[in-house]
């Protein structure tokens, strides 16, 4: 379905971003990976997922907190792939502390990576999408883009902002072949969440397994983690003709979290 399209997925060397990249590759999209750490293993995974379609998989290590590096990323996409057809804004970081104890530098970093980076990528991607009259902007927000939790003021603010950005861009592109939507996952067992579980286990003196059960039980009625593959399948749908009039939606995949 996506053969000939190029998808840029930020923060895609692990977790949700990698899962989405694999699912888009399986539909024939070329993929540009981005993130920290080893890129060879995720690149091999994505190539394998798209092997039936002969896709290309590139990598650019732009630091998504730096607008100049984001600009370099788009120059790379333009020169090597002819631009970006599908933009998945997934890069994100987390820090937990009460607002009065929240380190200013952590606030600034979370807003930069979780929110401002999506502004910079979107402003650079949309002109090319408008020129082709086809494009998809998919923002990975969170259940925390719809509801709040204590101790996560920066993350909640950034994710609420990302949902707002999604709606504005959707309205600005409403008469074109470009759509903009957000996916709002609940708990996904990513390295980021695994660290939170382990920190909770240590703090409360309980097993990691018990900490995991308690984490899910507090928020996610299904008591099951959302998987990167499920989020990737939703991203594929949002790229399909069937979703051509799905615009400005914040689509929660959260095991019932915000239904409560």
């Amino acid at each position: 379905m996506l053969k000939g399209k190029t998808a840029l997925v930020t923060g895609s060397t692990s977790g949700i971003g990698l899962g989405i990249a694999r699912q888009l590759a399986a539909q024939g999209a070329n993929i540009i990976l981005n993130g920290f750490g080893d890129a060879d293993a995720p690149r091999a995974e994505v190539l394998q997922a798209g092997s039936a379609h002969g896709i290309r998989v590139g990598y650019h290590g732009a630091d998504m907190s730096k607008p100049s590096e984001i600009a370099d990323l788009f120059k790379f996409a333009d020169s090597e792939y002819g631009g970006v057809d599908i933009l998945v804004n997934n890069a994100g970081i987390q820090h937990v502390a009460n607002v009065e104890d929240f380190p200013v530098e952590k606030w600034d970093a979370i807003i930069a990576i979780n929110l401002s980076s999506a502004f910079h990528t979107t402003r650079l991607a949309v002109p090319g999408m408008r020129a082709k009259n086809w494009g998809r902007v998919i923002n990975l927000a969170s259940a925390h883009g719809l509801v709040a939790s204590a101790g996560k003021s920066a993350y909640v603010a950034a994710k609420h902002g990302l949902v707002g950005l999604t709606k504005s861009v959707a309205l600005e592109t409403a008469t074109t072949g470009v759509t903009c939507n957000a996916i709002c996952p609940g708990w996904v067992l990513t390295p980021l969440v695994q660290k939170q579980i382990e920190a909770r286990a240590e703090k409360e003196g309980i097993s990691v397994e018990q900490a995991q059960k308690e984490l899910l039980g507090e928020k996610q009625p299904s008591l099951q983690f959302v998987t990167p593959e499920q989020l990737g399948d939703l991203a594929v749908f949002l790229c399909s003709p069937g979703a051509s009039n799905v615009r400005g939606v914040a689509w929660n995949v959260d095991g019932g979290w915000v239904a409560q």
Side-chain angles (χ1 to χ4, degrees):
M1 184 182 76
L2 298 176
K3 198 161 179 65
K5 307 292 188 188
T6 294
L8 166 61
V9 186
T10 68
S12 51
T13 49
S14 67
I16 291 171
L18 180 56
I20 290 175
R22 284 197 303 260
Q23 301 302 88
L24 294 174
Q27 293 294 324
N30 298 318
I31 304 293
I32 302 172
L33 297 171
N34 157 265
F36 297 127
D38 171 47
D40 291 338
R43 184 173 182 275
E45 280 189 45
V46 175
L47 277 170
Q48 176 61 32
S51 59
H53 306 289
I55 66 165
R56 298 172 60 203
V57 180
Y59 169 79
H60 193 286
D63 180 339
M64 300 307 292
S65 69
K66 298 179 178 175
S68 62
E69 294 193 22
I70 295 172
D72 287 340
L73 168 58
F74 273 81
K75 287 176 185 173
F76 169 78
D78 289 341
S79 63
E80 297 295 321
Y81 291 87
V84 172
D85 303 294
I86 301 162
L87 170 62
V88 182
N89 286 309
N90 171 72
I93 58 172
Q94 174 66 289
H95 183 79
V96 178
N98 286 341
V99 68
E100 67 269 28
D101 302 317
F102 214 94
V104 171
E105 66 276 9
K106 292 289 188 183
W107 173 279
D108 289 343
I110 288 170
I111 297 300
I113 293 174
N114 295 26
L115 177 57
S116 296
S117 72
F119 159 71
H120 290 297
T121 56
T122 302
R123 71 179 177 84
L124 293 168
V126 164
M129 293 178 178
R130 283 186 185 274
K132 297 174 184 176
N133 199 37
W134 195 94
R136 298 289 185 266
V137 179
I138 300 172
N139 294 321
L140 265 293
S142 167
H144 282 120
L146 303 171
V147 294
S149 290
K152 298 183 178 180
S153 56
Y155 191 82
V156 170
K159 294 301 187 178
H160 271 66
L162 193 55
V163 170
L165 175 65
T166 298
K167 293 177 180 179
S168 288
V169 174
L171 294 176
E172 291 172 12
T173 56
T175 59
T176 75
V178 181
T179 69
C180 183
N181 293 287
I183 297 175
C184 300
W187 289 122
V188 183
L189 193 56
T190 62
L192 192 71
V193 171
Q194 186 64 37
K195 284 181 183 177
Q196 290 185 53
I197 292 169
E198 290 168 2
R200 181 182 187 137
E202 184 177 353
K203 181 181 178 182
E204 298 182 9
I206 58 178
S207 69
V208 170
E209 291 74 18
Q210 184 61 30
Q212 181 172 300
K213 281 183 183 177
E214 290 183 8
L215 182 86
L216 287 169
E218 286 175 0
K219 300 287 189 181
Q220 202 141 301
S222 68
L223 300 180
Q224 298 175 353
F225 284 107
V226 177
T227 69
E229 290 72 26
Q230 289 167 343
L231 300 174
D233 286 343
L234 179 52
V236 167
F237 167 69
L238 291 173
C239 293
S240 73
S244 62
N245 215 25
V246 178
R247 298 172 182 270
V249 170
W251 196 316
N252 45 307
V253 185
D254 61 4
W257 182 327
V258 303
Q260 298 176 96

